[in-house]
Amino acid sequence: MTSNFNSRFSIPLQQSDNAVYACIQKEFERQQEVLELIPSESLPSKAVLEALGSVLNNKYSEGYPGKRYYGGNHVIDQVESIAIERCKQLFGCEYANVQPYSGSPANAAVYLSVLNYGDKFMGMNLAHGGHLTHGHKLNFSGKSYSIVSYGVDKETERLDYDAIKRLALQEKPKIIVSGSSAYPREIDFKAFAEIAQEVGAVSMSDISHIAGLIAGNVHPSPFPFTDIVTSTTHKTLCGPRGAVIMARAQFGEAIDKAVFPGIQGGPHNHQIAAKAVAFGEALRPEFKAFAGQIVKNAKALGTGLMEGGLRLVSGGTDNHLCLVDLTQTPLTGKEAEALLDTVNITVNKNMIPFDPRKPLDPSGIRVGTPTLTGRGFNEEACREVGQLIAKAVFNSQDASLLDRVRAEVKTLTQAHPIYPMLKEENAPI
Ligand SMILES: *Cc1c(COP(=O)(O)O)cnc(C)c1O
């Protein structure tokens, strides 16, 4: 330690704080060594990470471009305007707010702009694939509003639009939320918007998980049907952690007010710049092929899982994820997650529709392909990953088999490194 505090400006992290540096290094190595199958994760580019680590972090800019409560914002105005324009171009919408810190506050802002506390809203049941912010009783959404939940059909394990329509007509919610975190099938946003229109509700689609698939034209868009669309930017879109709200122009003023001053203070400008970079990347023609590969890889992963004897909820996938039902296997979701951790395969335990078990130890696991696709895996490799998962799950007591699975995982990860160009300088980003 030196007595001059400003000497910190010239000391790299490794020297100034070895404890934190060592954690970053270790996490880099972990990401390098595991098959990361959590479907809400992906690999942002070096350019996105650079923008996140920039001096834009330093600036306060409450307000919106041209209308700030602080001086010195002419550059920040440009950054935010670039992000807004690219977002509108990418998704074909009339209005965009790029300030939400993350997906949960984005949803909170939409509810604040449309509902009064106590109003009724309809969203997807968490256990059937919905998100906490779609009305779970422990979440602000379930505490602040009156919730009506819809789920999937017990037989098909898919959304039943007639049943959702009947429920909506009976309950007359003020907003109907479509979108999910663990639903492996295509969502008919047009059908949801028509139901909302029929009952006089505002339609909202939360495309957090599939934004990259929509931007890449491999999943139908909620535009021009849905009134308001929220999305995170860090899932299939491969941007920084963060979110956006998009909408028909008429909702814009109320949403802007709900984000600031309603929910948030100063925008995170480094994050907004990184969103702009990610939108720019997603506008490039090659992003379409990448998004298409995510879906092809998920189908191949599903094939491998089923070949290994595992059942997929709804029998397969249309998007980037598979939901695996473990009820006919020796393991629970929690046990499978822990076992797979020991062979360097990272998944998350997940409820399945009509799950007889509890959220902390449910009957399923959720697996997806955005990160593997980001490191160059093709269908053949993903199918093999599915088979490896099934082998481990059905032979969890066989130490030598698990050793062989671990060795296969090592071969696969070493053939497809993350951030390969950074390896030489050995930088943990
Ligand atoms: C991930 C997710 C969110 C929340 O995003 P956070 O950034 O984790 O707050 C909201 N809605 C859906 C459907 C999601 O999958």
Side-chain angles (χ1 to χ4, degrees):
M1 270 296 160
T2 161
S3 54
N4 179 358
F5 189 57
N6 280 349
S7 66
R8 70 202 153 104
F9 295 123
S10 53
I11 305 176
L13 180 62
Q14 184 170 19
Q15 277 136 265
S16 88
D17 191 331
N18 201 255
V20 171
Y21 179 85
C23 287
I24 297 173
Q25 181 74 47
K26 271 189 274 184
E27 174 59 14
F28 182 78
E29 283 161 14
R30 188 198 67 81
Q31 292 186 17
Q32 192 68 273
E33 286 163 10
V34 304
L35 294 171
E36 184 66 70
L37 291 174
I38 295 180
S40 49
E41 296 179 13
S42 61
L43 292 170
S45 67
K46 179 83 169 72
V48 165
L49 295 178
E50 242 177 76
L52 274 179
S54 70
V55 294
L56 297 181
N57 171 76
N58 307 353
K59 189 71 192 114
Y60 242 99
S61 58
E62 284 179 359
Y64 290 100
K67 293 167 287 192
R68 305 284 185 183
Y69 289 85
Y70 292 80
N73 271 307
H74 56 285
V75 183
I76 297 299
D77 279 1
Q78 286 173 26
V79 171
E80 186 166 344
S81 299
I82 292 171
I84 291 169
E85 285 316 309
R86 287 184 186 168
C87 182
K88 283 159 64 171
Q89 192 189 341
L90 185 62
F91 289 100
C93 56
E94 296 171 355
Y95 156 89
N97 186 311
V98 296
Q99 292 192 5
Y101 301 146
S102 215
S104 303
N107 287 350
V110 172
Y111 303 151
L112 189 68
S113 77
V114 174
L115 303 171
N116 291 310
Y117 292 123
D119 279 354
K120 196 179 271 186
F121 94 70
M122 198 165 140
M124 193 169 183
N125 188 334
L126 181 76
H128 289 220
H131 188 259
L132 282 168
T133 55
H134 297 179
H136 191 271
K137 63 180 193 303
L138 297 177
N139 184 261
F140 78 91
S141 55
K143 290 178 191 284
S144 313
Y145 306 105
S146 161
I147 303 302
V148 182
S149 292
Y150 61 85
V152 297
D153 178 76
K154 199 161 185 173
E155 287 305 308
T156 63
E157 300 179 305
R158 293 175 188 236
L159 291 166
D160 174 348
Y161 296 93
D162 290 331
I164 294 166
K165 184 172 168 177
R166 280 195 299 277
L167 187 63
L169 284 167
Q170 184 189 316
E171 298 283 349
K172 297 259 183 298
K174 275 184 83 172
I175 188 166
I176 299 179
V177 183
S178 55
S180 65
S181 304
Y183 183 64
R185 294 300 183 177
E186 194 168 290
I187 298 176
D188 189 344
F189 292 119
K190 183 164 182 263
F192 268 108
E194 283 168 1
I195 294 168
Q197 205 164 28
E198 196 169 331
V199 303
V202 170
S203 54
M204 168 178 159
S205 300
D206 177 349
I207 60 168
S208 289
H209 259 261
I210 55 172
L213 308 186
I214 291 168
N217 269 338
V218 291
H219 187 292
S221 172
F223 292 113
F225 313 109
T226 308
D227 295 322
I228 303 175
V229 176
T230 58
S231 180
T232 55
T233 47
H234 51 274
K235 298 181 184 175
T236 49
L237 202 53
C238 303
R241 302 200 86 83
V244 293
I245 305 174
M246 300 166 274
R248 291 188 207 287
Q250 78 219 53
F251 294 95
E253 201 180 320
I255 293 169
D256 277 350
K257 278 192 187 137
V259 173
F260 173 83
I263 302 252
Q264 299 188 166
H268 293 183
N269 296 305
H270 56 311
Q271 187 199 35
I272 289 171
K275 289 174 195 176
V277 173
F279 297 147
E281 290 175 353
L283 280 163
R284 294 191 197 141
E286 57 265 31
F287 186 79
K288 283 193 176 50
F290 170 73
Q293 191 64 45
I294 292 178
V295 176
K296 284 187 211 158
N297 282 349
K299 285 189 198 299
L301 175 68
T303 300
L305 290 162
M306 291 189 287
E307 284 168 345
L310 292 169
R311 190 186 87 83
L312 302 188
V313 169
S314 83
T317 180
D318 300 327
N319 57 27
H320 61 302
L321 69 86
C322 301
L323 191 57
V324 184
D325 172 4
L326 298 171
T327 50
Q328 304 303 318
T329 76
L331 303 184
T332 65
K334 185 180 166 184
E335 289 165 350
E337 180 188 301
L339 170 79
L340 291 168
D341 257 337
T342 69
V343 293
N344 291 335
I345 299 178
T346 309
V347 307
N348 71 272
K349 56 182 172 290
N350 212 95
M351 298 278 274
I352 59 171
F354 310 98
D355 202 322
R357 303 183 60 87
K358 295 273 181 300
L360 276 175
D361 192 4
S363 303
I365 53 171
R366 192 181 64 150
V367 291
T369 50
T371 300
L372 294 191
T373 307
R375 55 198 292 182
F377 278 57
N378 61 12
E379 288 113 296
E380 197 188 329
C382 289
R383 185 170 161 186
E384 187 186 346
V385 172
Q387 292 168 344
L388 290 174
I389 290 172
K391 249 190 225 171
V393 164
F394 285 112
N395 299 282
S396 58
Q397 306 300 320
D398 184 340
S400 69
L401 179 134
L402 294 178
D403 281 344
R404 288 200 298 280
V405 170
R406 202 177 294 110
E408 289 293 322
V409 168
K410 191 168 182 182
T411 305
L412 284 167
T413 53
Q414 285 186 338
H416 305 283
I418 61 166
Y419 302 106
M421 66 292 191
L422 297 175
K423 223 165 108 186
E424 260 165 55
E425 56 195 85
N426 197 24
I429 300 305

